[in-house]
Amino acid sequence: MSHLSPADLADAIGPEAAARVAAHLADCERCRRQVEELRETLAVVAGADVPEPAPAFWPRMTARVVEAASSGAMRAAPFPGTDAGVTWTRGLAAAAVVVFAVSAAVLWRQHSPLGPADAATALEEAARDLPAVSDPAALDEASGWELVADANAGIDWDAVADAGLAPPPGSTDGVLMQLSEGERRELARLLQVEIAGSL
Amino acid sequence: MDGRGAILTGGMWSDWTVGVARPENALADAPHPADLDERALVAACREGRRDAFDVLVSRHQRSVYRLCYRFVNNHEDAADLAQDVFLRAYRGLRSFRGESTLATWLYRIAVNLSLNRVAARPPLTQSLDGVAHLADRPRDPAAALIREETAARVRAAVAKLPGRQRATLILRVYHDLSHQEIAAVLGTSAGAAKANFFHALTNLRKMLSASPEASHEPPVTR
């Protein structure tokens, strides 16, 4: 005795199975049991709801999509917490490093024996050695941190400290450097909450 | 109707102003987009009415988001995908010929984007550990906690299905598409859609009945 095919069994789950299928089920215990099992699984699967987002999510999503369409953007602004959002914060971190490096270079120029022209040349050389990044948002985590590492590779931190650019004891930066790993994680979490709340 | 509007010019929305092709008094006569049926709403979007696109997104965003969520099993990716779906739809609205419902057309975009996403990066699915087994279902359906645990277990299992089985099951069970409509979305035959549905349910039954240790097994490949 041949049994029902997968497509026939899928049909048999519904209330309106073909007469041929219904006739087979009337005579075939094995197929009947299989259909019952499928129906039982279907009932469990059908009852699995998706968690409902916060009510504020829907108008925000509408606004983001319409805004992106309005501006002709290829993508809407990422929601906080998405990969794109994480990339954005990585970009912010990278930008902070760059700002710090440029500020340090300016101060260094004021305190170092190098003349302004020499300092500018040194900066240009350092920038030339960095990899070209056409789209910072497309950086993944590894390449993003590699870029940051490359940007800082040439810095002589002893010279920075000698020049008085290292944070003095008790300063905010100094406190940050003395935080434990757990304290830094908690600080990062609080900052992310603040950033998410401000978007 | 407040008499304000926007028009699509060169891919960009602009507020309607004097000199734009559509006169102000035409806006006063235009029905509010929320009152339009699907065909008229699509036509209004094609005319460049921003408020019409707003209504279109509002009408369909829940179902599109839910479909995406079933694929990726986490809010962040689902929200990101749903936004992409509507932007693709916005850019491709002129190619929508009304041969299917707008919802089905949006589902097709969502399924394609979701399949691409999970192919490039497996979804962040939670482990099935500690979630109720199929056989352990309580007889009391009001046990909300158990129900949510079961739902989480089902969602995680669905996210482990092969792409086409997953798409078929999601569209059939959660979006009420017929096998014929699913076939149109996936570019396959109705028979293949039925077979995919059968295999999806069979695989889910195995996963949901398995011991917690089995949840660490790799996704099903057939």
Side-chain angles (χ1 to χ4, degrees):
Chain A
M1 180 182 189
S2 63
H3 294 284
L4 293 175
S5 69
D8 286 338
L9 286 166
D11 260 345
I13 298 170
E16 64 281 336
R20 173 182 60 82
V21 172
H24 177 87
L25 287 175
D27 292 335
C28 181
E29 169 66 23
R30 177 182 142 176
C31 287
R32 205 163 50 238
R33 193 172 60 247
Q34 203 168 3
V35 168
E36 281 308 310
E37 288 176 356
L38 290 173
R39 283 179 178 153
E40 184 184 356
T41 305
L42 179 59
V44 174
V45 171
D49 279 338
V50 163
E52 180 70 11
F57 169 74
W58 301 114
R60 279 175 60 208
M61 184 162 117
T62 306
R64 282 167 182 262
V65 169
V66 175
E67 180 60 34
S70 304
S71 64
M74 296 301 285
R75 298 198 69 196
F79 279 94
T82 61
D83 272 7
V86 172
T87 302
W88 177 83
T89 52
R90 276 188 217 123
L92 190 65
V97 170
V98 171
V99 168
F100 172 76
V102 170
S103 302
V106 170
L107 290 171
W108 180 263
R109 188 177 63 182
Q110 293 171 351
H111 294 280
S112 72
L114 288 176
D118 294 328
T121 304
L123 268 177
E124 283 175 10
E125 286 174 357
R128 200 162 41 238
D129 291 334
L130 289 175
V133 180
S134 58
D135 181 11
L139 286 174
D140 59 20
E141 185 172 13
S143 57
W145 285 116
E146 278 175 15
L147 176 67
V148 173
D150 287 345
N152 289 281
I155 295 178
D156 181 349
W157 293 106
D158 290 335
V160 170
D162 291 344
L165 297 173
S171 71
T172 305
D173 290 347
V175 170
L176 285 174
M177 287 181 169
Q178 290 165 17
L179 291 178
S180 69
E181 185 64 26
E183 289 168 335
R184 288 182 188 178
R185 272 202 300 272
E186 175 62 12
L187 179 61
R189 188 189 68 77
L190 292 171
L191 285 171
Q192 284 174 345
V193 169
E194 284 300 310
I195 290 171
S198 66
L199 293 177
Chain B
M1 187 75 191
D2 59 10
R4 293 176 59 222
I7 192 166
L8 188 65
T9 52
M12 304 279 285
W13 293 100
S14 307
D15 289 331
W16 273 335
T17 54
V18 176
V20 175
R22 188 166 182 165
E24 286 279 341
N25 59 2
L27 273 175
D29 298 334
H32 191 279
D35 299 328
L36 299 175
D37 64 16
E38 184 173 290
R39 185 183 296 269
L41 184 63
V42 170
C45 290
R46 284 173 171 165
E47 288 173 10
R49 286 182 61 181
R50 179 177 177 161
D51 54 351
F53 186 60
D54 191 294
V55 170
L56 186 152
V57 174
S58 297
R59 277 187 191 172
H60 294 279
Q61 61 183 354
R62 283 176 185 269
S63 58
V64 167
Y65 166 84
R66 286 167 170 269
L67 190 153
C68 295
Y69 191 105
R70 301 278 184 193
F71 269 93
V72 296
N73 203 23
N74 72 83
H75 169 73
E76 287 78 16
D77 283 341
D80 198 31
L81 276 169
Q83 291 187 146
D84 279 355
V85 169
F86 285 107
L87 283 182
R88 294 282 181 103
Y90 166 73
R91 292 197 294 270
L93 208 53
R94 294 192 182 281
S95 69
F96 175 66
R97 293 187 292 274
E99 292 165 352
S100 63
T101 64
L102 185 61
T104 304
W105 186 68
L106 291 170
Y107 292 164
R108 181 180 301 139
I109 298 172
V111 166
N112 287 333
L113 285 177
S114 299
L115 285 175
N116 287 341
R117 172 70 65 94
V118 297
R121 189 180 58 202
L124 303 169
T125 57
Q126 69 178 79
S127 164
L128 303 188
D129 286 4
V131 186
H133 290 182
L134 188 65
D136 298 338
R137 275 185 302 147
R139 294 195 177 278
D140 178 12
L145 180 60
I146 300 297
R147 194 166 58 232
E148 174 46 35
E149 286 177 342
T150 303
R153 186 172 168 78
V154 169
R155 290 194 299 267
V158 169
K160 287 175 180 282
L161 290 172
R164 282 181 175 264
Q165 286 181 28
R166 197 184 323 178
T168 303
L169 181 112
I170 291 169
L171 293 171
R172 179 79 177 132
V173 176
Y174 303 113
H175 297 274
D176 292 325
L177 263 63
S178 69
H179 290 302
Q180 197 68 47
E181 290 171 316
I182 294 168
V185 167
L186 297 178
T188 184
S189 67
K194 289 177 186 176
N196 274 330
F197 186 52
F198 167 82
H199 290 303
L201 284 177
T202 304
N203 283 327
L204 283 177
R205 183 170 184 85
K206 286 177 190 166
M207 283 191 272
L208 295 173
S209 302
S211 63
E213 289 73 23
S215 66
H216 296 298
E217 292 174 357
V220 181
T221 53
R222 184 189 169 173

